[in-house]
Amino acid sequence: MKTPALLAGLSVVVLGCSASPSSEVAPPAPGPPDPQPEVIERHRAQFAEELPQRPPGSNEEQVAASYILGFLQQAGYPGRLDGVPVADLVRSTNVIGTPPEGATPEYLVAVPYGTPPNQALDARSLGVFLEVARALSVRALEHPVEFVALGAEFAEQGKGTLGSIAMASLLREESFEPQVIYLSPVLSGDAFHAQGPLASEFEPDVAANEPPMHQVARAAADVYRNEEFDVTIVDGDAAEVADTLVAFLSETLR
């Protein structure tokens, strides 16, 4: 696959970034404090048109990581990379945006950013992830929310979800116990729904009729639960998911 120049330039960010939080963080991203559907769509189109396939450990996955890292840094988040072993000589990366003012993370918003080998996936969940991070940063920098784009969630090795396995291990090492909010890798486009301990806080009636969740999201939830983390899977229409998450996470600012 030919890597477009627009995104290839961003790979310099990844190659030049250490595994520690960056000390040079841009001020909060400009724009309104509410998620913008057209921005979500712009991110989706960028991935669909430029990097439709992002298999674990590939150059395309690395360039996608640089795209995500760049936007998180522009939104005021210290960028951090954590390696994810996939196979011999093959590594992926979790892209982490830590709370801008250094707060202990109380919530962790997670989303896969790769794809299965030889398969493209709709990327609206990535657009939601990036736009929620931006909007929350515009509202205030002192929030306790961490954002992580997970690599190698679709790995064929083991049971997959290698990014979640690495992230759960890192949280344990750092003694963090955030509530995990896991965005379905492919949003259904239906009304907002969630499964997990935060479901009733997002929307009181959400547990009354639970449609099935994406299999990777279910497998990742098991990873976090096995490590005794609370995890809630979120799915639905992209704009509604973004609005719901920003409204809920904004409560941490009060």
Side-chain angles (χ1 to χ4, degrees):
M1 181 184 297
K2 183 178 179 181
T3 305
L6 176 62
L7 295 184
L10 285 172
S11 64
V12 175
V13 178
V14 165
L15 295 175
C17 183
S18 70
S20 301
S22 171
S23 60
E24 296 182 3
V25 180
D34 297 312
Q36 303 299 295
E38 65 273 17
V39 178
I40 294 173
E41 174 59 23
R42 195 178 306 144
H43 287 305
R44 182 210 65 78
Q46 189 78 292
F47 283 101
E49 296 169 9
E50 309 276 13
L51 293 169
Q53 296 183 22
R54 305 175 294 279
S58 66
N59 180 63
E60 289 77 19
E61 188 192 49
Q62 183 186 64
V63 174
S66 65
Y67 179 99
I68 294 164
L69 177 64
F71 272 89
L72 289 176
Q73 290 181 323
Q74 288 174 12
Y77 296 85
R80 180 177 182 181
L81 302 176
D82 187 53
V84 178
V86 177
D88 291 342
L89 304 179
V90 179
R91 292 181 68 83
S92 181
T93 305
N94 284 343
V95 184
I96 304 169
T98 58
E101 296 292 335
T104 298
E106 297 177 13
Y107 296 94
L108 176 71
V109 180
V111 68
Y113 72 92
T115 64
N118 303 313
Q119 185 177 341
L121 296 177
D122 184 86
R124 283 183 177 83
S125 58
L126 282 170
V128 168
F129 172 85
L130 293 170
E131 186 61 355
V132 168
R134 183 206 61 79
L136 193 62
S137 176
V138 170
R139 292 188 176 206
L141 287 175
E142 63 269 20
H143 64 76
V145 185
E146 186 162 282
F147 289 83
V148 56
L150 299 161
E153 288 291 85
F154 293 92
E156 297 178 322
Q157 289 77 5
K159 296 181 179 179
T161 60
L162 299 184
S164 285
I165 291 170
M167 192 65 210
S169 177
L170 181 63
L171 291 171
R172 279 283 169 240
E173 289 176 10
E174 298 182 334
S175 299
F176 292 154
E177 297 183 354
Q179 290 268 356
V180 179
I181 300 171
Y182 193 99
L183 295 178
S184 176
V186 180
L187 296 177
S188 66
D190 300 326
F192 176 89
H193 55 279
Q195 293 179 15
L198 295 178
S200 61
E201 297 187 43
F202 290 139
E203 189 171 332
D205 298 328
V206 74
N209 183 20
E210 296 184 346
M213 292 291 189
H214 193 283
Q215 61 181 3
V216 166
R218 295 198 308 269
D222 287 341
V223 169
Y224 294 106
R225 291 183 187 121
N226 289 340
E227 293 293 330
E228 300 183 340
F229 292 104
D230 288 335
V231 56
T232 300
I233 306 172
V234 172
D235 200 349
D237 173 75
E240 190 172 353
V241 169
D243 287 342
T244 301
L245 290 183
V246 169
F248 173 79
L249 295 170
S250 293
E251 293 294 319
T252 66
L253 303 174
R254 299 178 182 178

